[in-house]
């Protein structure tokens, strides 16, 4: 709320903003206010699906990402890499940031 113009510009970056955020989360850098903001932006860019989960469920942005990545890992196991990239590119992006695929 303190910096709406900056937040709007971050959202405009779309997949670049998500990729940056996922790389920060992969390094464990999502435990502070920045982590909350990155998770909020990711959820907004990705869109509300069952895969983004509810905001109130997580105490940190890192916790949100960890759950998102765990769900992605389950999808990878069920679908394989190519199918995951085709039908769920955000999940593939999370696993790429973690070095899993």
């Amino acid at each position: 709320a303190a910096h709406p113009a900056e937040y709007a510009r971050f959202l405009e970056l779309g997949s670049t903003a998500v990729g940056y955020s996922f790389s920060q989360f992969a390094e464990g850098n999502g435990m502070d206010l920045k982590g909350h903001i990155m998770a909020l932006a990711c959820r907004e860019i990705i869109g509300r699906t069952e895969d983004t989960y509810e905001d109130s469920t997580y105490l940190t942005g890192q916790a949100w990402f960890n759950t998102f990545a765990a769900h992605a890992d389950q999808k990878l196991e069920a679908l394989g890499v190519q199918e995951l990239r085709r039908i769920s590119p955000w999940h593939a992006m999370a696993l790429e940031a973690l070095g899993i695929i």
Side-chain angles (χ1 to χ4, degrees):
H3 301 279
E6 291 86 351
Y7 183 74
R9 281 196 298 275
F10 190 68
L11 290 178
E12 288 174 5
L13 295 173
S15 64
T16 300
V18 173
Y20 168 79
S21 298
F22 283 4
S23 69
Q24 291 297 300
F25 288 132
E27 294 176 14
N29 297 327
M31 300 298 290
D32 55 6
L33 178 60
K34 179 180 173 183
H36 276 292
I37 294 167
M38 289 187 305
L40 180 65
C42 287
R43 289 190 300 266
E44 196 166 330
I45 293 165
I46 292 168
R48 291 265 177 225
T49 70
E50 74 278 1
D51 298 326
T52 58
Y53 312 102
E54 290 298 316
D55 298 345
S56 61
T57 308
Y58 303 97
L59 297 176
T60 66
Q62 188 70 49
W64 171 81
F65 176 77
N66 292 347
T67 301
F68 187 84
H71 189 73
D73 199 41
Q74 291 172 351
K75 282 188 163 189
L76 174 64
E77 207 171 291
L79 301 172
V81 174
Q82 289 185 352
E83 190 67 5
L84 179 70
R85 283 188 171 133
R86 186 180 73 75
I87 66 169
S88 196
W90 299 114
H91 284 108
M93 185 184 282
L95 296 179
E96 288 167 358
L98 290 166
I100 294 172
I101 58 173

